[in-house]
Amino acid sequence: MLLAQIAIIGAGITGLSIAFKLASQGHNLTIAEKGNRAGGHMLSTNLGDFHADLGPHIFRSKDERVLTFVKTLLNHSFINMKSDPRIYKYGKIFDNTIPVITRKNIEMLSQIRQIRPRRTTADHSGSNFEEIMINRIGYDLYWEFFGEYSEKWWGLKGSLLDPVLVPKTLYVGDGSTYSHYTVDGGYIEEIYPKTGGFMAIVDALASRVRKQGVKIELGEEVTGLEYKGPQTIVVSRNLGGEEKEIAADLVYYTGPLDAIFSLVKDKFDLDYRGIIFCKILLHGRTEFEKYSWMYIHEKRLLAARVYDAKYYHPHLRNGENTAIVVEIPSNNHDGKWEAADETCDKAFEQLVGEGLVKLSTNSFANDIMNKVIIKDQYSYPRFKINYGKEYNRLVKSVSESLPNLRLEGRYAGFQYLNSNSIIEKYVFSDYLQSSCR
């Protein structure tokens, strides 16, 4: 049996960030990772000369310390980027709508549909996402720019989504800009690795953590946790079927909650929204290369978000080939998930039909050079109404049966944390000091 002061389950960016901070404080750590690489969901695929990430990722932050940390990880090998997304709806390309719904958007929309726009208000009353948004901007602007897309993305009606999804800042104005819905205000700087795709950040962090003496055990799937006070026994099995036990004073779990449900022997109304990622190398051009990514709002189209890797590889923008990543929200047993290959083909054909992708020879057989499909069933925690109460019930149950187990990060912590937020929370805040007690 191995002895470790602290065990971390999962070597994604959360597990690695926790390891970096605690190793810097002199703790003895071991990380168990069921995959064959560190990095978790930060995965970049080589398609020709391009690196295609799992969705459009630009590293951005409002914290200079976080930016300096990541720049140092990358040995200052990065390019400055700009988040400049667009919306595709009714055959038109609209400006992004968070934090600004532009007057140009409203004018374009009024030429297509009869709408009754109203002035935005500070009224946050309501019991769900839809109610609050309608109170703030009226039904028409809500449905056209938020409602239909939210239902497509989350797979739930807006009235069933929690108010946590309401943007922190939202107003009608003239200048188009970008801010994540969780953020109040803009960013100091946005960067992207020169080589290796977005995954280069987490690869560099894993290398740094290893240099600190942290053991990252790959191919180790955790199969059991048992509290034997004052320690928790972490049982894992490798690809060869061999079992291993780690006795730890404290355990940080960063994976999906499904495994925790079975440990506490109870059911919880907490789940995730899955994404089918279709990564396609093609001979041709796209409308997407002009923008950091594009939201596809209408439910009639399978794709919900698309980006062209040329935007992230400026030195390749004049080439005849490109790579796009098409994101299709889906879950087990919805028909799309089980037929992912056919679903990706249909989504791509729809994009060609809309004129958003222009093939060189108009032959799918000749112009599609490579296709990689990745199904990620845990892409986003799904924020249903009162998910917070349900999550707190889970945490209470866990604390009773496994008192030194901590649920952390985007998946186990059930929070919408981006990479910059994770590094800020686990590396630069005092959060871990309290969780180590």
Side-chain angles (χ1 to χ4, degrees):
M1 181 183 295
L2 294 177
L3 297 176
Q5 191 173 16
I6 297 173
I8 300 171
I9 301 172
I13 189 168
T14 297
L16 292 171
S17 296
I18 292 171
F20 177 85
K21 179 66 173 273
L22 296 181
S24 299
Q25 297 173 347
H27 293 285
N28 175 29
L29 298 112
T30 295
I31 303 178
E33 166 58 49
K34 72 175 181 179
N36 60 6
R37 53 169 286 274
H41 290 73
M42 289 176 67
L43 175 66
S44 305
T45 304
N46 291 339
L47 287 178
D49 294 327
F50 299 95
H51 297 284
D53 304 317
L54 282 186
H57 293 292
I58 297 174
F59 192 90
R60 60 182 77 89
S61 181
K62 300 171 69 174
D63 190 325
E64 190 64 57
R65 299 170 304 165
V66 173
L67 286 165
T68 299
F69 178 76
V70 172
K71 290 177 182 178
T72 303
L73 285 178
L74 295 173
N75 291 319
H76 295 274
S77 179
F78 63 88
I79 57 175
N80 288 103
M81 300 293 294
K82 178 185 178 183
S83 294
D84 187 24
R86 292 293 188 275
I87 292 167
Y88 180 77
K89 191 165 188 173
Y90 303 133
K92 304 291 184 181
I93 295 177
F94 294 84
D95 292 330
N96 181 54
T97 55
I98 300 176
V100 186
I101 303 173
T102 62
R103 293 184 175 89
K104 175 187 169 186
N105 271 1
I106 296 172
E107 181 181 345
M108 285 176 59
L109 185 61
S110 64
Q111 293 172 1
I112 301 168
R113 298 180 66 84
Q114 186 175 356
I115 62 170
R116 293 183 297 173
R118 83 175 203 203
R119 182 176 299 175
T120 57
T121 72
D123 183 0
H124 280 68
S125 63
S127 61
N128 59 65
F129 171 74
E130 181 176 88
E131 282 184 6
I132 296 173
M133 291 295 289
I134 291 173
N135 285 336
R136 289 184 68 179
I137 61 177
Y139 177 80
D140 288 342
L141 291 184
Y142 159 71
W143 177 254
E144 297 297 346
F145 291 128
F146 298 93
E148 183 176 18
Y149 184 77
S150 294
E151 291 186 6
K152 178 179 182 178
W153 186 259
W154 295 108
L156 295 170
K157 290 190 175 298
S159 59
L160 298 177
L161 294 171
D162 194 87
V164 72
L165 291 170
V166 174
K168 295 286 186 269
T169 306
L170 189 62
Y171 60 94
V172 173
D174 292 313
S176 177
T177 184
Y178 171 78
S179 179
H180 196 265
Y181 86 89
T182 60
V183 175
D184 183 6
Y187 305 96
I188 296 175
E189 191 176 2
E190 298 182 287
I191 63 175
Y192 187 81
K194 275 187 179 179
T195 59
F198 199 70
M199 186 173 75
I201 296 173
V202 77
D203 283 348
L205 181 56
S207 177
R208 180 72 65 85
V209 165
R210 287 188 175 100
K211 289 179 182 177
Q212 290 177 304
V214 176
K215 303 170 188 173
I216 303 178
E217 305 280 354
L218 300 177
E220 290 287 339
E221 182 174 6
V222 172
T223 57
L225 294 169
E226 183 180 0
Y227 181 66
K228 291 185 177 181
Q231 294 181 315
T232 289
I233 308 302
V234 181
V235 183
S236 66
R237 181 182 295 116
N238 64 23
L239 296 176
E242 297 175 318
E243 283 199 345
K244 180 185 299 182
E245 291 185 353
I246 302 172
D249 298 325
L250 187 60
V251 179
Y252 290 94
Y253 178 78
T254 68
L257 290 172
D258 301 27
I260 302 300
F261 298 160
S262 60
L263 287 173
V264 297
K265 298 179 174 60
D266 200 352
K267 293 182 179 180
F268 299 87
D269 188 20
L270 298 166
D271 64 3
Y272 301 82
R273 186 58 162 159
I275 301 289
I276 301 171
F277 294 92
C278 315
K279 302 184 177 187
I280 302 169
L281 179 67
L282 61 98
H283 193 53
R285 309 279 304 194
T286 81
E287 288 295 318
F288 308 117
E289 67 184 68
K290 307 171 188 175
Y291 313 110
S292 51
W293 63 87
M294 193 175 292
Y295 302 105
I296 313 294
H297 274 212
E298 294 169 90
K299 293 182 183 179
R300 67 182 178 87
L301 300 173
L302 287 166
R305 189 167 63 175
V306 184
Y307 88 90
D308 189 320
K310 273 189 176 179
Y311 188 87
Y312 299 77
H313 298 74
H315 61 292
L316 299 174
R317 286 180 185 170
N318 294 324
E320 295 181 349
N321 302 331
T322 193
I324 64 171
V325 179
V326 181
E327 295 179 69
I328 303 170
S330 178
N331 281 99
N332 281 325
H333 312 304
D334 67 358
K336 294 181 290 186
W337 190 265
E338 291 73 23
D341 191 69
E342 293 85 350
T343 300
C344 284
D345 287 346
K346 185 175 180 181
F348 184 77
E349 290 170 6
Q350 289 176 337
L351 296 176
V352 172
E354 295 292 313
L356 295 170
V357 174
K358 298 176 177 63
L359 299 175
S360 292
T361 67
N362 291 320
S363 166
F364 287 86
N366 292 335
D367 290 327
I368 295 180
M369 304 160 66
N370 194 6
K371 179 176 68 174
V372 176
I373 298 173
I374 297 174
K375 297 195 296 183
D376 179 9
Q377 67 183 104
Y378 301 108
S379 284
Y380 296 90
R382 187 146 53 174
F383 300 114
K384 304 173 186 176
I385 287 180
N386 295 324
Y387 81 93
K389 291 181 179 179
E390 193 73 350
Y391 184 76
N392 288 338
R393 187 170 71 87
L394 170 66
V395 171
K396 183 176 183 295
S397 182
V398 168
S399 67
E400 292 170 352
S401 57
L402 296 163
N404 55 2
L405 176 67
R406 306 290 183 266
L407 306 179
E408 302 294 345
R410 182 168 179 159
Y411 307 105
F414 218 75
Q415 304 173 66
Y416 201 137
L417 294 174
N418 287 325
S419 53
N420 59 296
S421 304
I422 290 169
I423 291 174
E424 181 177 343
K425 178 176 182 177
Y426 294 110
V427 175
F428 289 99
S429 79
D430 294 329
Y431 172 80
L432 288 177
Q433 290 183 2
S434 59
S435 69
C436 280
R437 290 171 186 164

